[in-house]
């Protein structure tokens, strides 16, 4: 089985005016990536090690990478996924676990994916420990969930932001990047927001490789009419996050698989 896993370097903003404008969009933490390539044919995503079950290699770590508790769900035959989603969402709020996020199965480890490829993946809020997530599912497992596994995972939680060149509006940037499709191919799930000064794209999910992130920056730069290095990348959460410079934590060594 192979999955597409939708990877960063810090740099200083060379233009103080641009930095001031971006600060109104997101907290300015600027990044380094290759300049936007010239292309005579329709652009495609830049290749990296995002294909496969192993975690992609990235230098965009620290506050951009978070450790979370995730729930892999295998619905019963004929189950209504919308019902499962609604029931678990309501139960999470009722039990004060907090709001559930969703992601693709690619957040899980290679070892877990060898025996279960979940059809639905829910991610608990920052700070919810594994045993709390396991207790939540024991107490609130929907009747139409055939099997579930609770596992620690690493996720990328970050935002891309760009201020368009003169003559281009934020709305036109959004429309152009959506029409090109590189963001959809690379990120799978993302949220685009049109701001008064520019466009932000929030991504939460499996670790992205550096080439994947370069693809997103290049695509947003093309849409905005600016070089890729003018597309800024920031962490969505404060704090140190996870350092991956030495490979990161061995999540499978933390605890055995929790599943029912």
């Amino acid at each position: 089985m192979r999955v597409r896993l939708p990877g960063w370097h810090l740099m200083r903003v060379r233009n103080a005016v641009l930095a001031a404008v971006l600060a109104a969009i997101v907290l300015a933490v600027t990044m380094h990536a290759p300049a936007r390539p010239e292309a005579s044919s329709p652009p495609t995503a830049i290749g990296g090690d995002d294909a496969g079950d192993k975690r992609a290699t990235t230098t965009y770590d620290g506050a951009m990478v978070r450790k979370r508790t995730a729930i892999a769900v295998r619905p019963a035959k004929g189950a209504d996924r919308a019902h499962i989603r609604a029931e678990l969402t309501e139960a999470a709020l009722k039990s004060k676990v907090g709001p559930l996020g969703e992601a693709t199965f690619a957040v899980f480890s290679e070892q877990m994916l060898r025996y279960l490829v979940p059809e639905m993946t829910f991610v608990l809020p920052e700070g919810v420990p594994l045993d709390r997530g396991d207790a939540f599912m024991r107490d609130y497992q929907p009747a139409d969930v055939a099997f579930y596994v609770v596992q620690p995972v690493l996720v990328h939680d970050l935002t891309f932001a760009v201020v368009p060149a003169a003559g281009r509006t934020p709305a036109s940037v959004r429309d152009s990047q959506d029409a090109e499709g590189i963001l959809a191919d690379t990120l799978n799930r993302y949220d685009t927001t049109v701001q008064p000064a520019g466009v932000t794209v929030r991504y939460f999910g499996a670790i992205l490789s550096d080439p994947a992130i370069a693809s997103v920056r290049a695509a947003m730069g093309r849409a905005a009419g600016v070089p890729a290095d003018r597309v800024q990348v920031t962490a969505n959460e404060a704090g140190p996050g996870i350092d991956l410079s030495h490979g990161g934590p061995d999540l499978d060594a933390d605890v055995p698989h929790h599943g029912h």
Side-chain angles (χ1 to χ4, degrees), residues 20-236:
V21 177
L22 285 172
I25 306 176
V26 292
L27 178 64
V29 178
T30 59
M31 317 300 296
H32 174 75
R36 176 167 57 99
E38 297 297 329
S40 57
S41 58
T44 59
I46 300 172
D49 61 350
D50 300 87
D53 295 339
K54 293 183 179 180
R55 184 190 307 148
T57 303
T58 183
T59 58
Y60 294 87
D61 56 356
M64 291 180 243
V65 175
R66 319 301 295 192
K67 183 178 179 180
R68 297 287 194 96
T69 293
I71 305 165
V73 170
R74 175 71 62 83
K77 185 176 181 180
D80 182 352
R81 294 190 185 190
H83 174 262
I84 293 174
R85 181 180 295 106
E87 188 170 339
L88 284 176
T89 297
E90 181 180 357
L93 296 175
K94 178 181 178 181
S95 66
K96 295 182 170 51
V97 165
L100 293 180
E102 286 196 67
T104 69
F105 64 84
V107 299
F108 291 104
S109 67
E110 179 184 16
Q111 288 79 4
M112 200 209 80
L113 292 174
R114 288 174 182 168
Y115 76 92
L116 173 67
V117 178
E119 297 177 40
M120 304 179 74
T121 299
F122 299 96
V123 183
L124 296 173
E126 183 101 357
V128 177
L130 193 70
D131 56 356
R132 179 82 188 279
D134 196 45
F136 164 71
M137 286 302 292
R138 286 199 310 270
D139 294 341
Y140 295 98
Q141 179 180 354
D144 43 1
V145 168
F147 186 83
Y148 71 85
V149 173
V150 181
Q151 285 278 285
V153 300
L154 295 184
V155 296
H156 251 147
D157 189 3
L158 46 87
T159 291
F160 301 86
V162 67
V163 174
R168 302 197 186 191
T169 66
S172 71
V173 172
R174 174 202 58 200
D175 294 344
S176 294
Q177 66 190 25
D178 287 349
E180 185 183 74
I182 296 296
L183 270 63
D185 290 344
T186 305
L187 303 179
N188 196 332
R189 291 174 177 268
Y190 62 95
D191 293 315
T192 302
T193 302
V194 174
Q195 307 280 1
V199 175
T200 62
V201 171
R202 177 166 183 174
Y203 170 78
F204 178 88
I207 300 298
L208 300 168
S209 70
D210 284 7
I213 289 174
S215 289
V216 173
R217 297 181 78 192
M220 292 182 67
R222 281 191 296 273
V226 300
D229 61 9
R230 296 279 290 277
V231 178
Q232 310 304 319
V233 187
T234 64
N236 290 326

